[in-house]
Amino acid sequence: MSAAQNGSRGRPDFLLLIMTLLLVGFGLVMVFSASSGIAVVSSKFQNDASYFTKRQLVWAGLGLFTMFMLMNIKYTFYKKSFLLLFVPVLIMLILVPFIGERLNGARSWFGFGSLGIQPTEPAKLAIILYLGALISKKGEKFRDFKKGLLPVIIIIGFICGLIMLQPDLGSCLVLASCAAVMIVAGGANLKQVFYTGAVAGIFITLFLSLSMLINPSGFQKSWQYRIDRFTAFMDPVAHAQGEAWQLVSSLQALGHGGITGAGFGESVQKLSYLQYAYTDFIFPIIAEEFGFIGSALFLLFYLAFIWRGIIVALRCPDQYGTLVGIGIVSLFAIQAFVNIGGVTATIPITGVTLPFISYGGSSLLVSLMCMGVLLSISRESNRTDKPRTNHRTR
């Protein structure tokens, strides 16, 4: 009996699934290349060239298992049950500024032995599921400021405020930008969105200014790391031996790669020059080893992956699935732009990972969870008997 006769779900989008698996596989290969040099000469990493690759492989296995599991759950389940993820994430975000582990001036992690969990990663998926459910439930009322946009802005502002308590500026910007895309796609009044953004910008500026005036030592202690990064971005040459060391090394890697690259595993900058070559700065290693041609092909593939995700989202038969799909795709696109823009000196470095490619268990796990939800949406999009609804995203 066919899917049209028994009403069964369609198949997941095969192309999107294959592209996801290819990105994960390429990420594992690049984590090995970028980390093997520093790991093999350090007793901290057991002098094992594949130390980081093995750990990333475990997270990849767990993430793929979770992706296939979520792919087989009808996406409308998340519309009713988003609190199962949202509430635990909210609790973790409240606790992490006080009991989390401090790294690079921020308390963003919960440490469990040799493992760590960054609550801002699952928060991204939680916000996407929450916004999709809330906006689709409000329908036309979402265009009303008090009943529609304001409650959404309050929730987003609260979550972003918790993230800034760590502080984690990069994740805050990514999450807020992703939420803004969903709000616009959900049909919000654009004038209201513009005025709300302007007021929020003024409020944040005043808050930071008052904090600096009232408690200058505390402000400097909390924000010095980010201030130094911005200063290094403005004039990397003048700070090449200090805060701009990473950025200058990144640019040198891009230049060293030339047109065709130095060859796989032949990067020089990964040998203790780029401290985070296997995490935030993995794209310069790609460019150094595969050159302009290789990095351009990688970017084109990533753009094709994003475009395929947009197609899947727009084909969904209801507004909730479309909004969640758009939210997931915009999350990957915005985070990739922030990461690559930072390491190429296009924008200031904010310390976010390149989805599917950078080393990081929490990031990879949540990225694959997001893909599980998106592939679940694609199964409804591919049904031959799907209902025709007149939803639209403005």
Side-chain angles (χ1 to χ4, degrees):
M1 186 177 292
S2 67
Q5 292 173 313
N6 62 18
S8 62
R9 302 180 69 199
R11 296 179 179 179
D13 190 272
F14 182 75
L15 180 58
L16 187 62
L17 175 60
I18 291 299
M19 295 179 84
T20 302
L21 296 177
L22 288 174
L23 281 175
V24 173
F26 183 67
L28 289 170
V29 170
M30 289 312 304
V31 166
F32 173 76
S33 177
S35 65
S36 58
I38 189 172
V40 76
V41 297
S42 175
S43 59
K44 179 181 178 181
F45 306 125
Q46 304 170 6
N47 300 107
D48 183 1
S50 59
Y51 175 85
F52 291 101
T53 310
K54 291 175 181 176
R55 293 165 68 90
Q56 188 77 340
L57 188 60
V58 171
W59 284 106
L62 179 60
L64 289 172
F65 173 80
T66 306
M67 182 186 76
F68 285 115
M69 183 177 68
L70 296 179
M71 184 179 72
N72 287 290
I73 299 175
K74 195 170 183 179
Y75 72 89
T76 52
F77 169 80
Y78 309 116
K79 185 176 183 179
K80 302 175 182 178
S81 309
F82 67 89
L83 288 176
L84 293 177
L85 177 62
F86 188 83
V87 173
V89 164
L90 184 61
I91 294 172
M92 288 192 292
L93 287 176
I94 292 173
L95 294 177
V96 73
F98 304 100
I99 63 175
E101 293 189 359
R102 183 175 291 277
L103 179 65
N104 293 330
R107 290 188 182 273
S108 305
W109 296 83
F110 285 119
F112 302 96
S114 60
L115 298 177
I117 296 178
Q118 192 175 14
T120 52
E121 293 298 332
K124 297 169 185 174
L125 178 57
I127 281 291
I128 290 171
L129 297 178
Y130 166 76
L131 288 182
L134 185 60
I135 295 172
S136 60
K137 182 180 179 179
K138 288 183 178 295
E140 289 298 323
K141 292 182 180 179
F142 187 56
R143 293 184 65 82
D144 181 83
F145 181 74
K146 291 184 179 179
K147 297 180 180 179
L149 184 60
L150 184 59
V152 173
I153 294 297
I154 291 174
I155 293 295
I156 296 171
F158 180 67
I159 296 298
C160 288
L162 291 176
I163 294 175
M164 289 308 298
L165 287 177
Q166 301 175 15
D168 186 350
L169 180 60
S171 295
C172 182
L173 290 174
V174 169
L175 192 147
S177 300
C178 178
V181 171
M182 292 186 68
I183 288 171
V184 173
N189 186 302
L190 294 182
K191 287 185 179 180
Q192 294 177 2
V193 174
F194 175 78
Y195 291 138
T196 302
V199 171
I202 294 172
F203 176 79
I204 292 171
T205 302
L206 290 174
F207 175 77
L208 294 176
S209 300
L210 288 173
S211 299
M212 185 167 54
L213 290 173
I214 295 173
N215 187 12
S217 60
F219 179 87
Q220 185 176 14
K221 183 178 179 181
S222 300
W223 285 86
Q224 188 61 50
Y225 180 72
R226 282 142 196 88
I227 294 172
D228 290 342
R229 273 189 165 184
F230 182 77
T231 304
F233 164 75
M234 295 300 294
D235 191 357
V237 176
H239 300 84
Q241 299 301 317
E243 293 299 326
W245 175 268
Q246 288 280 93
L247 181 57
V248 171
S249 298
S250 174
L251 296 176
Q252 289 175 344
L254 295 172
H256 182 231
I259 300 297
T260 58
F264 177 70
E266 298 300 320
S267 167
V268 174
Q269 294 301 320
K270 69 182 182 183
L271 302 175
S272 300
Y273 294 101
L274 271 173
Q275 185 178 0
Y276 302 106
Y278 49 92
T279 55
D280 301 352
F281 286 84
I282 200 165
F283 180 74
I285 305 303
I286 295 174
E288 185 178 10
E289 295 189 349
F290 297 104
F292 174 79
I293 295 175
S295 55
L297 290 174
F298 168 74
L299 291 177
L300 288 173
F301 184 87
Y302 214 102
L303 286 173
F305 169 74
I306 297 297
W307 181 248
R308 189 64 188 176
I310 293 174
I311 292 174
V312 166
L314 294 179
R315 285 179 177 173
C316 185
D318 70 5
Q319 187 186 32
Y320 173 71
T322 296
L323 286 174
V324 170
I326 290 295
I328 290 172
V329 173
S330 65
L331 172 65
F332 294 146
I334 292 167
Q335 190 160 327
F337 171 77
V338 172
N339 174 274
I340 296 174
V343 301
T344 56
T346 306
I347 60 175
I349 295 172
T350 55
V352 300
T353 57
L354 182 58
F356 303 107
I357 308 299
S358 296
Y359 173 80
S362 298
S363 175
L364 182 58
L365 176 61
V366 172
S367 294
L368 289 172
M369 289 174 64
C370 289
M371 285 310 304
V373 176
L374 187 57
L375 288 168
S376 176
I377 293 171
S378 76
R379 295 189 65 177
E380 297 303 313
S381 305
N382 292 334
R383 281 178 57 182
T384 57
D385 64 334
K386 62 185 178 183
R388 294 184 180 276
T389 56
N390 293 321
H391 82 277
R392 60 175 179 162
T393 55
R394 289 176 288 271

